[in-house]
Amino acid sequence: MASTDAVVRSRRFVAGSAGGGLLLLLSGCAGGGPSTLDPAGFGARRVEGFWWLLFWISVVVFVEVMALLVWALVFRRRPDRRVNRSEPTRFVVVAGAGLPIVVLLTVYGIGLRDLAALSTPEVPPAVTVEVTGHKWWWEVRYAGVDGATANEIQIPVGEPVLVRLRTVDVLHSFWVPQLMPKTDLIAGKVRETWLHAERPGEYRGQCAEYCGLQHAHMAFLVVARPRAEFDAWLARLGAPARTPDSDAERRGQQAFLGSACVACHTVRGTAATGTVGPDLSTVGARWSLGAGAVSNDGGHLGGWIANSQTVKPGNAMPPQPVDAAALPDLIAYLQSLR
Ligand code: CUA
């Protein structure tokens, strides 16, 4: 009786484990996040092709090994069967050494071909973006344009864009799963990669190298738009920041320029010319605050100004002694910067 119970228990355990494993696998399918298997650009398409090649090779090898295992188990049960001694040795050399060498060399060759194709676009890039990694945000500048934004890269759709990557502190890694493979940012070096989006849209990017406490909140957005819209956006980036329209915005600007904010932040066309933190000239139009930490709305902006350490602990911005009465004006002013 006890042994029957044990069998039932072990069967339940196997069934439960298999079910749990399957659920885990399927949960990966329902993620809906950015995936290299949903490519929208040349680089990710290459990576996707290589991924499927490795997947199918793994499937074939797995099935083969399992078949051999079953065969060996069945074979072992017939010890009386006569065996030709030289045959197993030849089999081990061919299947155990020869075949893996051929498969691995083929995959290596295809990998080198893809690396070469990924390193240089087919046509010279029309736009160059200078991206600098900071703990924990991305500074984004465009060659020939005297302005900057943060955690957001706009590109013209259908055109290759050169991205030059630097870091001012630790290792980071630039990755837009739907557009391109990871490229590491290495101190003292300028790494180059390029972006290409086949269709307009927003593509989530993420730092893919663990870089400290807020590594997870080092996200960015690549926005691909038609050329005319991109040109207009770039012209806006290079122009002075919008001047205040309302009384609240004007009071907010006075509060901003009279605060310690100006030591670290730039608002183009004003006395604020700090370069430690992100350029705020178009902060009101950005998709998030704190590189994906929270959405960019009035409530979160107020919380961020008062004490960003409660929103994104460890970031470089110290808590600000802001007069509570001035906070709504400050929010109104920063939100008007678009
Ligand atoms: Cu930067 Cu992780």
Side-chain angles (χ1 to χ4, degrees):
M1 198 63 195
S3 69
T4 318
D5 281 354
V7 168
V8 169
R9 267 203 305 275
S10 77
R11 276 186 188 158
R12 275 188 190 152
F13 175 75
V14 169
S17 308
L22 194 66
L23 265 181
L24 267 178
L25 263 177
L26 291 177
S27 69
C29 305
S35 169
T36 300
L37 301 182
D38 177 25
F42 174 87
R45 227 165 258 294
R46 277 269 167 185
V47 177
E48 186 207 20
F50 196 62
W51 191 95
W52 281 112
L53 175 76
L54 292 182
F55 176 78
W56 287 117
I57 288 176
S58 308
V59 167
V60 170
V61 169
F62 179 76
V63 169
E64 260 182 36
V65 169
M66 287 304 116
L68 282 171
L69 189 66
V70 170
W71 176 80
L73 288 173
V74 172
F75 188 76
R76 208 189 54 171
R77 288 192 181 164
R78 298 177 196 160
D80 54 317
R81 199 157 145 180
R82 300 252 168 244
V83 180
N84 178 353
R85 285 264 163 218
S86 72
E87 223 174 82
T89 315
R90 205 183 313 138
F91 177 76
V92 166
V93 170
V94 172
L99 213 59
I101 287 173
V102 170
V103 170
L104 291 177
L105 279 181
T106 307
V107 169
Y108 181 62
I110 294 172
L112 286 183
R113 184 203 66 181
D114 283 354
L115 270 181
L118 284 169
S119 65
T120 332
E122 281 164 2
V123 288
V127 177
T128 300
V129 192
E130 310 275 351
V131 175
T132 306
H134 297 257
K135 284 196 307 188
W136 293 275
W137 59 284
W138 305 89
E139 180 183 344
V140 178
R141 294 177 179 277
Y142 288 76
V145 176
D146 190 25
T149 184
N151 312 316
E152 186 174 316
I153 301 170
Q154 301 244 357
I155 62 171
V157 70
E159 295 179 46
V161 171
L162 179 69
V163 184
R164 291 164 59 82
L165 298 161
R166 290 180 185 78
T167 171
V168 293
D169 38 58
V170 298
L171 282 177
H172 302 280
S173 187
F174 184 87
W175 188 29
V176 191
Q178 283 182 280
L179 299 183
M180 47 80 72
K182 293 171 197 171
T183 308
D184 285 356
L185 282 67
I186 296 166
K189 283 190 189 286
V190 180
R191 304 295 312 283
E192 288 191 347
T193 184
W194 53 284
L195 285 167
H196 167 258
E198 292 162 355
R199 47 180 194 266
E202 296 185 343
Y203 303 97
R204 165 91 180 227
Q206 174 65 39
C207 177
E209 175 78 39
Y210 180 70
C211 54
L213 185 60
Q214 293 293 344
H215 158 68
H217 290 141
M218 194 167 166
F220 58 101
L221 203 62
V222 174
V223 182
R225 344 169 71 170
R227 184 72 200 203
E229 283 180 27
F230 167 76
D231 286 341
W233 177 85
L234 198 60
R236 183 77 210 82
L237 189 72
R242 290 225 163 95
T243 47
D245 277 337
S246 68
D247 286 342
E249 288 169 20
R250 269 185 283 277
R251 286 195 303 270
Q253 188 188 40
Q254 288 308 312
F256 178 81
L257 293 176
S259 74
C261 308
V262 297
C264 294
H265 295 286
T266 290
V267 173
R268 291 164 54 71
T270 73
T273 54
T275 55
V276 178
D279 186 311
L280 299 179
S281 306
T282 54
V283 68
R286 293 213 267 263
W287 69 288
S288 79
L289 295 172
V294 287
S295 57
N296 188 4
D297 53 53
H300 284 122
L301 187 55
W304 185 276
I305 296 166
N307 189 355
S308 68
Q309 296 302 321
T310 60
V311 184
K312 188 173 176 179
N315 88 81
M317 181 164 150
Q320 297 304 306
V322 186
D323 178 6
L327 195 57
D329 296 338
L330 210 44
I331 294 170
Y333 172 59
L334 291 174
Q335 285 194 314
S336 76
L337 298 175
R338 296 178 157 269

